[in-house]
Amino acid sequence: TTKLGEAYGVCVILVTFITTSMVSLVALIVWHIPLPVVVLAFLVFGALDGVYLSSALTKVPDGAWFTLILAVLLSSIFVLWRFGKENQWKAEASDRFPPSSIIDWSHADRLAVRDIVLGLRFTHTFGSAPISVIKGMGIFFDKSGLPNTTPTVFIHFLQKLQAAPAVVVFFHIRPLSIPSVPLEERFTVTRCLGKPTSNIRNQFFRVTLRHGYTDEVVHQDLGLQIYEQLRNFVIREGAVTDIEEIPDREVAALAPNENGTTTGGISPPINKSASEGPISNNTDQITLSFPPSEQRHSHLTHDNNNNNDTNSREHQQRIRRGLLALAAAYHDQVVYVVGKEQMRIREVTGYCKPRGWCRRIALAAFLWLRSNTGSKIANLNVDVERVVEIGFVKIV
């Protein structure tokens, strides 16, 4: 008991001295307090803490050594982890480029229900090979969440399979330091490939999920939740103000659950004939509403805007086909794609480079810690039958 008390005393006094030092740095760097004032305050409180600390350190041989060894061990682990992560981030920086740098969609020729955009190809830098289309929706977990970059897992998915899902979602989970985020404020949806004014609307989306530390966001219905967010985004993007004006049998009913049925309990009206080409007859019955100000303006200039009316109808048709294509892709399948990154240490040339060997030993310890800190697949609370893991290697 006496040795435990001595170890505890050294711990408390050491924390007090470190706190005084850190507050002095914050006062200089963050609060911009004049240097003489900070030095004066540090001398007063630091002297008191130093007296108690020097007295406590005399107990090191009698049991206080345990606290110091534990502190050194934990600090070494934290420093080692930081060193390894910085080298990992440096290796991953080579894959940070926008999707348009790897995908050339200028050859895409039409928007279909099943094939979405046909004619996608790799850019000249990546060989200009054609990219096949896989039926379904692919949710690619994006670790960085940067708005102008491509998830590493998607890059390796394309390079290895030379194919992309009909609907591609770059999904980033962003934790916040608050208890909870309201459901209506959690999701942010944007398009990450294509020109907004183009006649060809691609199905590449970027979804960011913001959550608090008490929110459970990865669950069995995550695919359905993302689909609903994408559908609402497409409707808002097309200036649709009343969802009820879209017939249930064509779009609204195409909201299947994970078991393949719709939210209304009916099967999605997708048949073979509808999946083999663009939607033609049924979509003519869908009416999209626009804001009242646009309707009044259209009424005043009706006689002189026939071309605008034609463009508006074409725009509505694209929105209809986009909604049907999104629902069809979701009904086909939802796949969660995660990356499994393996890192290899760069070889050290020569045996007379102690710095290189020290770096190699430190990175080897970091990789050992990293490999024993849990599995990304095990932590995903989704249907494991829909999870695809793409492995790739990085040199650090």
Side-chain angles (χ1 to χ4, degrees):
T1 304
T2 302
K3 292 183 178 180
L4 182 61
E6 293 173 349
Y8 181 74
V10 170
C11 177
V12 171
I13 297 303
L14 189 59
V15 168
T16 303
F17 183 78
I18 293 175
T19 301
T20 301
S21 303
M22 294 296 102
V23 170
S24 300
L25 292 177
V26 170
L28 284 174
I29 300 173
V30 180
W31 299 337
H32 302 290
I33 297 178
L35 179 61
V37 178
V38 174
V39 171
L40 180 61
F42 177 77
L43 289 177
V44 174
F45 293 99
L48 293 175
D49 293 339
V51 170
Y52 288 113
L53 180 60
S54 61
S55 176
L57 290 178
T58 60
K59 306 297 184 180
V60 170
D62 299 326
W65 56 268
F66 176 78
T67 303
L68 298 179
I69 291 179
L70 183 61
V72 171
L73 179 61
L74 293 177
S75 299
S76 301
I77 293 176
F78 295 149
V79 172
L80 176 65
W81 186 264
R82 180 67 183 186
F83 173 76
K85 295 300 289 185
E86 287 180 351
N87 282 269
Q88 177 184 346
W89 297 333
K90 184 178 180 180
E92 293 173 348
S94 59
D95 290 336
R96 293 177 182 172
F97 47 80
S100 57
S101 297
I102 187 173
I103 298 178
D104 179 12
W105 59 281
S106 60
H107 300 285
D109 52 4
R110 68 187 181 95
L111 180 64
V113 171
R114 296 285 177 152
D115 292 333
I116 309 300
V117 176
L118 301 180
L120 290 179
R121 307 180 68 88
F122 286 99
T123 58
H124 180 72
T125 305
F126 290 86
S128 302
I131 299 176
S132 303
V133 176
I134 304 173
K135 295 180 180 180
M137 176 188 297
I139 301 175
F140 295 82
F141 283 79
D142 184 6
K143 182 172 60 176
S144 65
L146 299 176
N148 296 321
T149 60
T150 307
T152 305
V153 61
F154 180 69
I155 296 174
H156 289 276
F157 185 93
L158 283 180
Q159 291 178 329
K160 291 177 173 60
L161 303 179
Q162 293 192 351
V167 176
V168 176
V169 180
F170 297 157
F171 181 57
H172 173 64
I173 301 177
R174 180 173 300 166
L176 303 179
S177 57
I178 57 178
S180 180
V181 177
L183 183 61
E184 62 274 8
E185 299 177 5
R186 291 183 184 178
F187 287 90
T188 302
V189 183
T190 58
R191 290 190 185 269
C192 57
L193 182 67
K195 300 178 181 179
T197 58
S198 174
N199 292 331
I200 301 172
R201 301 309 299 261
N202 63 78
Q203 300 286 58
F204 283 74
F205 300 93
R206 192 182 300 274
V207 178
T208 300
L209 172 58
R210 301 161 63 249
H211 69 93
Y213 49 79
T214 62
D215 295 328
E216 183 181 357
V217 294
V218 180
H219 44 75
Q220 295 293 327
D221 293 331
L222 179 63
L224 174 61
Q225 196 172 22
I226 292 177
Y227 162 75
E228 291 175 345
Q229 294 295 327
L230 295 180
R231 181 176 178 273
N232 293 337
F233 169 76
V234 173
I235 293 174
R236 291 193 304 267
E237 188 183 44
V240 178
T241 59
D242 188 2
I243 300 178
E244 298 299 329
E245 295 187 11
I246 302 177
D248 289 342
R249 68 183 182 86
E250 296 197 29
V251 177
L254 288 176
N257 296 318
E258 297 288 342
N259 57 8
T261 62
T262 64
T263 54
I266 61 174
S267 298
I270 301 175
N271 50 45
K272 183 177 180 181
S273 60
S275 64
E276 291 178 349
I279 298 299
S280 57
N281 297 329
N282 292 337
T283 55
D284 293 336
Q285 302 176 7
I286 302 177
T287 301
L288 303 180
S289 63
F290 292 87
S293 60
E294 295 185 13
Q295 294 178 0
R296 290 193 299 268
H297 178 74
S298 177
H299 176 72
L300 294 174
T301 59
H302 175 73
D303 295 334
N304 299 323
N305 288 327
N306 292 330
N307 292 333
N308 292 338
D309 292 340
T310 301
N311 294 334
S312 178
R313 286 193 296 270
E314 293 177 355
H315 176 65
Q316 293 180 22
Q317 290 288 346
R318 288 197 299 269
I319 297 172
R320 298 184 188 106
R321 292 196 297 265
L323 290 172
L324 292 174
L326 183 62
Y330 178 84
H331 176 62
D332 286 331
Q333 65 174 342
V334 176
V335 178
Y336 305 96
V337 187
V338 297
K340 184 175 179 59
E341 183 180 34
Q342 297 290 339
M343 289 188 290
R344 294 180 182 177
I345 305 173
R346 186 173 61 249
E347 294 292 336
V348 179
T349 57
Y351 294 93
C352 299
K353 294 183 177 180
R355 182 178 179 181
W357 284 105
C358 290
R359 178 182 180 275
R360 185 177 179 84
I361 294 173
L363 288 177
F366 163 73
L367 295 181
W368 181 83
L369 286 174
R370 183 174 178 269
S371 63
N372 290 277
T373 53
S375 173
K376 187 181 297 184
I377 296 295
N379 296 330
L380 285 179
N381 186 24
V382 296
D383 187 2
V384 294
E385 298 297 330
R386 299 187 176 188
V387 178
V388 177
E389 195 174 42
I390 301 295
F392 50 92
V393 180
K394 287 291 183 181
I395 304 298
V396 295

